[in-house]
Amino acid sequence: MFGKLDIFWPNGPMETYELTGRNVAVGRSPGNDIVLDSPAVSRYHVTFTFDDEGNAFITDLGSVNGTYIDSRRLEPDRPYRLSGHEEIMIGDLRLIYHPPQEPEEVAKSTVTIEDTGYEATTTVVTDRVGFSVVPEATNVRVTPGTHSRLTITVQNLGDETGRFALDLSGPSTEWVRPDRRDMSIAPGEQAHVVLDIRPPRRTDLLPDRYPVNLVVYPLSHPDKTVRVEIGIEVGSYHAFRMTPAWPAPDKDIFPVLLENLGNVPLPLQVSGYDPRNRRAVTCRPDSVVLAPGQQVVVHAKVHKRRWLDLVRGASGGSIVVLAQAQNASGFVAAIPVRRR
């Protein structure tokens, strides 16, 4: 197996697909390996390919709406290597690629034994402690709204069966949960603790490294502890909402609320137009940079073009307000606004 692909639909549901072949086609057409029934997705949108070394690549197939990796648009027909857990946008769908989980960074783990002050970059084996703690990795990258898992292996190096406890501390403990906190381990045997890592989609959870400190100790000797620090690399995500905002200060003004629901700043250019082309529309402000969680009300004002508007009442009807992202994604959102 070559990993899995999480697909997040705009209205909330998530689907997960196991990637079992070296070439996986994704698009709207029934001929794809993964079919995404969305008008924003091209008939043949992208392919995922895997080489003999297990490296993963994604290629945009000249799609209409493009493919974005962490807000950067891919060049068509040019493979892009995936390291894992990137945010992939195709149309209005968000994808997260998860590579196969393999212990890659055990040798880099830093472990501290409190009663000796000993630090090592490999598995700790000492008579004074009598057990070892080995994390599957010391850094995990995950995007808010998705999840990842990390296995911690505890081995009893003593001559008697022991009971061991695990404690967590750090700013990420509210969304890092172990599947168990105590275990009984026979001499020479191992026990595994799986950490379920689920950072929420919150505007105040900014992209950064969030440490979680694991402390493992035998219940018979709680003073003999082994500490392991795991770094949770939280990635960025993008979400945006645009809705009418009433009441209006004037009959020729259409207020619109812009809200950044992502965890990175969002630069926007705002404009408007009259579908009947009878009025000019100006927006104030016409450009804005929204901080994560920030809301701004834009006033779209209509201006009569012709004397005929005075007779036909051009101040009524509706207009369309557009917001275009001024970043690598370049997305455009539109909303019709009608006079109440």
Side-chain angles (χ1 to χ4, degrees), residues 103-295:
E104 299 174 347
E105 300 185 38
V106 171
K108 301 178 183 178
S109 59
T110 299
V111 206
T112 302
I113 305 172
E114 281 193 337
D115 64 343
T116 63
Y118 179 86
E119 293 190 357
T121 55
T122 58
T123 305
V124 175
V125 181
T126 71
D127 294 334
R128 295 192 61 183
V129 176
F131 66 98
S132 66
V133 179
V134 180
E136 180 182 12
T138 55
N139 286 282
V140 180
R141 185 179 180 185
V142 61
T143 302
T146 67
H147 72 277
S148 184
R149 291 185 174 89
L150 180 71
T151 300
I152 308 296
T153 301
V154 181
Q155 183 173 12
N156 183 359
L157 305 175
D159 299 326
E160 299 179 356
T161 297
R163 293 193 62 84
F164 298 86
L166 178 143
D167 292 333
L168 298 179
S169 63
S172 58
T173 53
E174 62 179 289
W175 38 268
V176 178
R177 303 291 178 86
D179 63 346
R180 56 176 171 170
R181 291 182 178 271
D182 63 83
M183 62 213 85
S184 178
I185 309 176
E189 297 297 319
Q190 297 178 343
H192 303 286
V193 179
V194 178
L195 301 183
D196 188 28
I197 305 167
R198 296 175 181 264
R201 286 171 67 91
R202 288 199 328 241
T203 58
D204 60 343
L205 187 60
L206 304 180
D208 204 347
R209 183 181 187 274
Y210 295 83
V212 56
N213 298 301
L214 286 76
V215 180
V216 181
Y217 56 91
L219 293 177
S220 59
H221 296 284
D223 58 319
K224 294 185 177 181
T225 62
V226 171
R227 292 181 176 271
V228 179
E229 181 182 293
I230 305 296
I232 311 298
E233 302 282 351
V234 173
S236 62
Y237 75 95
H238 304 273
F240 172 69
R241 180 164 59 196
M242 182 165 57
T243 57
W246 304 102
D250 184 88
K251 66 183 181 63
D252 290 325
I253 291 179
F254 295 73
V256 175
L257 176 69
L258 309 181
E259 184 176 6
N260 182 5
L261 302 177
N263 66 349
V264 291
L266 177 61
L268 295 170
Q269 189 76 32
V270 188
S271 61
Y273 68 92
D274 178 3
R276 298 178 298 173
N277 199 30
R278 294 171 59 180
R279 297 164 295 175
V281 180
T282 58
C283 295
R284 293 292 181 270
D286 59 1
S287 64
V288 64
V289 178
L290 297 179
Q294 183 181 3
Q295 298 179 342

Side-chain angles (χ1 to χ4, degrees), residues 1-131:
M1 192 177 71
F2 299 95
K4 64 181 182 178
L5 189 67
D6 289 339
I7 299 175
F8 298 82
W9 292 80
N11 57 348
M14 183 191 82
E15 299 175 354
T16 299
Y17 293 88
E18 301 288 347
L19 305 178
T20 57
R22 289 188 178 273
N23 293 277
V24 179
V26 181
R28 196 177 71 250
S29 173
N32 289 280
D33 300 296
I34 299 177
V35 179
L36 302 177
D37 187 15
S38 169
V41 176
S42 294
R43 294 179 66 246
Y44 297 94
H45 203 111
V46 298
T47 58
F48 290 86
T49 56
F50 305 91
D51 62 19
D52 293 337
E53 286 73 36
N55 298 311
F57 300 86
I58 183 173
T59 305
D60 180 88
L61 303 177
S63 61
V64 174
N65 292 321
T67 302
Y68 297 85
I69 303 290
D70 293 334
S71 301
R72 184 170 65 87
R73 184 163 185 165
L74 300 186
E75 296 183 24
D77 302 315
R78 183 173 180 177
Y80 176 90
R81 182 174 176 178
L82 297 170
S83 58
H85 309 290
E86 294 93 338
E87 181 181 66
I88 306 168
M89 295 295 298
I90 64 171
D92 54 353
L93 304 182
R94 187 165 64 93
L95 286 63
I96 304 292
Y97 167 67
H98 300 277
Q101 290 191 354
E102 296 181 0
E104 299 174 347
E105 300 185 38
V106 171
K108 301 178 183 178
S109 59
T110 299
V111 206
T112 302
I113 305 172
E114 281 193 337
D115 64 343
T116 63
Y118 179 86
E119 293 190 357
T121 55
T122 58
T123 305
V124 175
V125 181
T126 71
D127 294 334
R128 295 192 61 183
V129 176
F131 66 98

